[in-house]
Amino acid sequence: MDILAIESSCDETAAAVVQDGRIVLSNIIASQIETHKLYGGVVPEIASRKHIEVINQVIDEALTTSGRTMDEIDAVCVTYGPGLVGALLVGVGAAKALAYAKDKPLVGVNHIKGHIAANYIAHPDLEPPFMCLVASGGHSHIVIVSDYDKYEIMGRTRDDAAGEAFDKVARAIGLGYPGGPKIDKLAKEGDPFAVEFPKAVIDDAPYDFSFSGVKSAVLNYLNSEKMKRKLMDKQSDTQADAAERSPEDDLAGINRADIAASFQEAVTGVLTEHTMKAAKDRGITKIALAGGVACNSELRKKMTEACEENGFEFYMPPAILCTDNAAMIGSAGYYEYIKGRRDTWDLNAVPALKFE
Ligand code: KG4
Ligand code: ZN
């Protein structure tokens, strides 16, 4: 079965052709990062417009690269949530138009299930049941995947997602957007134990996460360091010097690499610890990693080591399948399709689509 998959939930316009849920025949991604960089984050209205500009080209390229024509495609799968409503609507509209015109079945796919399915592509031997840590810009979940269409959420974030915390801290230390990869890189030059940032634990929910506390702790630490430096500068500064100082000068003398490394240590530590606890408590010995934050080198290292220590089998996709792409949607969509799921022409974008 060859599936054409479309993904446009955030700032990547993507299309792919996937065979039998596991073999990627093409995987085309048009990233909008360069555009959104100018604004320090994703601007939803701009994202929608950019999707419209390139979606037809991206779909054409996915078909051409795969060597399949639209007539040879068996079903069209598309992300319909969660995500930015205007962005999702572009993909959903394109998928519906194509499926309708070519009389193909249409299957709406949950974006988070797509992230998990990236592991099926990377690891042809992986089959449920397993536990998956999904950490992205919008979500942080510990999920038991008991079958291809059966999920149980054991833990979730109470506030910010892990990727969101990476992006906010990166902005605060002047690294810009997208923050995750920049923190990852800078952290390699820093000391992860230079500053002890809190790892929030929620009393009655041992598998849940809270990342707003560690983010605020970084901001408070930065502010107090800036204040200390201002007080020291006051003795030598003239009024003119002070007026000319830019926000970058405010960070001068602060060891940003130490902050990046210490923040990354706290977040990756808590993600790994909670996943290990959940797996042990439920007797699950197969663990997978998914979502954009799964690109993080320290998280990959910690999870690999922790799984080794506990004797768990560990699976993680390559970086290109961790961040948003359509191949993962083609895989998740395939398993929905063979279980009998079909959508009709009233399929709509659902920005806050629940994960169940
Ligand atoms: O899964 P994804 O591409 O989009 C969402 O579904 O949200 O995840 C994007 C998130 C961003 O917050 C980005 O900063 C983060 O993944 N990310 C990383 C790294 N690469 C991407 N976070 C930490 N370290 C990385 N190397
Ligand atoms: Zn995503």
Side-chain angles (χ1 to χ4, degrees):
M1 259 204 77
D2 291 338
I3 283 184
L4 171 69
I6 300 172
E7 154 65 42
S8 68
S9 65
C10 190
D11 60 345
E12 261 97 28
T13 321
V17 177
V18 179
Q19 194 168 62
D20 298 334
R22 300 267 180 169
I23 301 162
V24 179
L25 302 183
S26 64
N27 189 20
I28 308 298
I29 304 166
S31 169
Q32 305 177 0
I33 281 180
E34 288 308 315
T35 306
H36 297 291
K37 234 181 202 171
L38 307 171
Y39 307 95
V42 177
V43 184
E45 180 60 26
I46 296 176
S48 319
R49 286 166 190 242
K50 287 269 161 199
H51 285 311
I52 291 174
E53 283 172 19
V54 301
I55 191 130
N56 287 337
Q57 269 166 274
V58 169
I59 294 171
D60 275 349
E61 205 178 322
L63 286 167
T64 311
T65 310
S66 72
R68 301 290 185 272
T69 63
M70 200 50 218
D71 289 327
E72 293 168 319
I73 292 293
D74 297 295
V76 180
C77 297
V78 62
T79 306
Y80 73 110
L84 302 169
V85 66
L88 287 164
L89 275 171
V90 177
V92 169
K96 287 204 286 192
L98 266 175
Y100 183 74
K102 291 289 182 179
D103 198 19
K104 305 286 179 187
L106 175 72
V107 178
V109 176
N110 182 311
H111 181 78
I112 305 170
K113 293 180 184 174
H115 274 302
I116 295 171
N119 282 284
Y120 297 138
I121 296 171
H123 306 286
D125 58 321
L126 175 64
E127 287 187 31
F130 60 91
M131 181 171 279
C132 189
L133 168 65
V134 194
S136 73
H139 306 273
S140 305
H141 289 310
I142 295 175
V143 183
I144 297 177
V145 183
S146 45
D147 202 346
Y148 287 104
D149 62 344
K150 283 201 182 64
Y151 305 86
E152 182 192 337
I153 297 183
M154 282 198 74
R156 50 161 42 98
T157 181
R158 296 292 181 102
D159 38 58
D160 291 352
E164 194 179 349
F166 267 95
D167 293 337
K168 287 178 178 167
V169 165
R171 193 177 310 160
I173 59 175
L175 296 179
Y177 175 83
K182 294 189 172 167
I183 291 201
D184 195 349
K185 190 162 172 237
L186 184 62
K188 294 192 197 311
E189 296 161 29
D191 172 6
F193 306 104
V195 192
E196 197 179 330
F197 292 124
K199 290 182 188 172
V201 178
I202 297 148
D203 285 343
D204 56 341
Y207 316 119
D208 278 3
F209 303 109
S210 166
F211 295 113
S212 73
V214 58
K215 175 200 69 191
S216 303
V218 174
L219 299 182
N220 290 340
Y221 176 82
L222 262 178
N223 282 337
S224 73
E225 288 297 300
K226 283 183 198 169
M227 288 302 287
K228 272 189 222 158
R229 275 164 182 76
K230 269 192 191 141
L231 286 173
M232 271 154 39
D233 287 350
K234 250 193 182 152
Q235 282 120 28
S236 57
D237 250 7
T238 65
Q239 239 178 357
D241 288 339
E244 272 172 22
R245 262 204 306 268
S246 69
E248 280 75 34
D249 293 337
D250 269 0
L251 291 165
I254 295 177
N255 191 330
R256 297 191 303 167
D258 278 356
I259 297 178
S262 301
F263 161 77
Q264 182 174 270
E265 176 64 27
V267 172
T268 57
V270 87
L271 286 170
T272 306
E273 284 156 25
H274 287 201
T275 309
M276 291 303 121
K277 177 167 173 48
K280 280 189 245 174
D281 289 353
R282 291 293 289 265
I284 293 175
T285 58
K286 266 199 277 185
I287 316 287
L289 189 57
V293 181
C295 294
N296 185 268
S297 57
E298 184 57 29
L299 181 61
R300 291 169 91 85
K301 181 168 159 260
K302 278 196 169 53
M303 287 289 288
T304 306
E305 287 171 359
C307 285
E308 239 169 61
E309 266 167 37
N310 288 292
F312 297 159
E313 284 173 59
F314 181 50
Y315 300 84
M316 60 181 166
I320 189 70
L321 292 173
C322 289
T323 46
D324 290 348
N325 66 88
M328 67 186 198
I329 303 303
S331 176
Y334 167 79
Y335 289 106
E336 298 268 350
Y337 180 87
I338 59 173
K339 291 273 178 180
R341 172 158 182 185
R342 302 290 182 276
D343 280 292
T344 49
W345 309 125
D346 62 358
L347 177 69
N348 204 353
V350 184
L353 182 63
K354 291 263 178 317
F355 182 74
E356 53 210 351

